[in-house]
């Protein structure tokens, strides 16, 4: 809805700029909810597997990563915004991986976080154990260096600054946007080949997304799994 509103208000602006402005609005709205009276103190619900943010809204959960895409149908331009370890792929007709967003893992964010620490900021420095990288934020271990968070996690270096990429779409390509629950157990090359294969058999894009999610669940993904697939004509 926020993206749609920004598109309506900025009809003549490049879609990438509209997407960035929408993300700025989302981050401001979220962080303003974490005021001095109602801090974003996360309580983990092991049954549901979520962190309740306690910001005054019953349905608000703490932190999120995002990968957003807009397509300009007039010229085939694609703008991709990515923050965290959700991921977007652009896949060619033959299943070749044309593009993928960069995951903002603690390891990838090492230099930025070290630079902040050297400047006197209270940033956490990535740690690794058994090939798993994390950042300490209070009593929690974060597996990302960027995501949408409240002020405490932000003070530790978990920023909401996204990457923006502009691409040119070609007929026959496909877009895959999915949460980290998919990428934990399915790599980008595998996902690209799966979508190309099911598309060649006449499977629609919605069912292609369901196929990806089913495979991730079968492989034992322990995180939330969601995916969107778009066929470019």
């Amino acid at each position: 809805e926020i993206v749609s509103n920004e598109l309506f208000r900025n009809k003549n602006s490049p879609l990438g700029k509209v997407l960035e402005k929408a993300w700025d609005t989302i981050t401001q709205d979220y962080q303003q909810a974490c005021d001095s009276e109602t801090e974003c103190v996360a309580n983990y619900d092991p049954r549901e597997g979520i962190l309740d943010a306690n910001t005054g809204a019953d349905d608000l959960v703490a932190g999120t990563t995002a990968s957003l895409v807009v397509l300009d149908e007039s010229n085939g331009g694609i703008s991709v915004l990515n923050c965290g370890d959700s991921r977007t792929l652009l896949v060619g007709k033959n299943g070749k991986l044309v593009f993928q967003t960069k995951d903002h893992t603690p390891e990838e964010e090492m230099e930025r976080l070290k630079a902040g620490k050297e400047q006197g900021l209270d940033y956490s420095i990535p740690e690794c154990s058994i090939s798993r990288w994390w950042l300490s934020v209070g009593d929690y271990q974060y597996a990302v260096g960027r995501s949408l968070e409240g002020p405490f996690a932000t003070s530790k270096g978990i920023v909401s600054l996204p990457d923006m990429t502009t691409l040119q779409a070609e007929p026959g390509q496909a877009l895959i946007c999915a949460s980290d629950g998919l990428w934990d157990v399915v790599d980008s090359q595998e996902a690209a080949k799966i979508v190309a294969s099911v598309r060649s058999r006449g499977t629609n894009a919605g069912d292609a997304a369901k196929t990806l999610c089913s495979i991730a669940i079968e492989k034992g993904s322990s995180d939330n799994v969601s995916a969107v697939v778009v066929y470019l004509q």
Side-chain angles (χ1 to χ4, degrees), residues 12-27:
N12 297 320
S13 297
L15 290 183
K17 293 296 183 183
V18 173
L19 197 57
E20 283 186 292
K21 189 168 180 57
W23 181 249
D24 287 343
T25 300
I26 291 167
T27 57

Side-chain angles (χ1 to χ4, degrees), residues 44-210:
Y44 183 64
D45 183 336
R47 185 175 68 83
E48 297 295 335
I50 62 173
L51 293 174
D52 297 321
N54 295 337
T55 57
D58 292 337
D59 59 347
L60 192 61
V61 293
T64 185
T65 65
S67 201
L68 309 175
V69 182
V70 289
L71 170 66
D72 188 338
E73 293 183 340
S74 67
N75 59 24
I78 299 173
S79 295
V80 183
L81 179 150
N82 192 67
C83 180
D85 57 0
S86 293
R87 193 182 305 168
T88 291
L89 313 183
L90 180 61
V91 181
K93 286 190 253 186
N94 57 358
K96 181 180 179 181
L97 186 59
V98 177
F99 166 81
Q100 66 175 329
T101 54
K102 181 182 74 173
D103 294 352
H104 296 126
T105 64
E107 184 179 15
E108 289 285 346
E109 295 286 281
M110 179 77 76
E111 293 305 315
R112 178 184 65 80
L113 292 163
K114 282 185 174 180
K117 192 77 170 179
E118 290 169 359
Q119 294 168 14
L121 298 173
D122 191 26
Y123 280 6
S124 293
I125 300 301
E127 300 177 60
C128 182
S129 177
I130 316 176
S131 300
R132 177 180 176 271
W133 287 88
W134 77 87
L135 289 168
S136 294
V137 179
D139 294 331
Y140 298 96
Q141 294 181 345
Y142 276 60
V144 291
R146 301 190 199 186
S147 62
L148 177 57
E149 302 288 344
F152 180 62
T154 299
S155 73
K156 298 298 181 180
I158 316 292
V159 298
S160 58
L161 181 67
D163 287 336
M164 284 294 307
T165 307
T166 300
L167 305 166
Q168 187 62 41
E170 295 182 6
Q173 292 179 331
L175 286 164
I176 305 172
C177 296
S179 64
D180 58 324
L182 175 69
W183 308 119
D184 285 346
V185 293
V186 177
D187 65 30
S188 296
Q189 293 284 358
E190 182 181 2
K193 290 178 180 177
I194 290 168
V195 168
S197 175
V198 298
R199 184 180 188 180
S200 69
R201 298 197 296 268
T203 304
N204 64 42
D207 286 338
K210 290 178 183 177

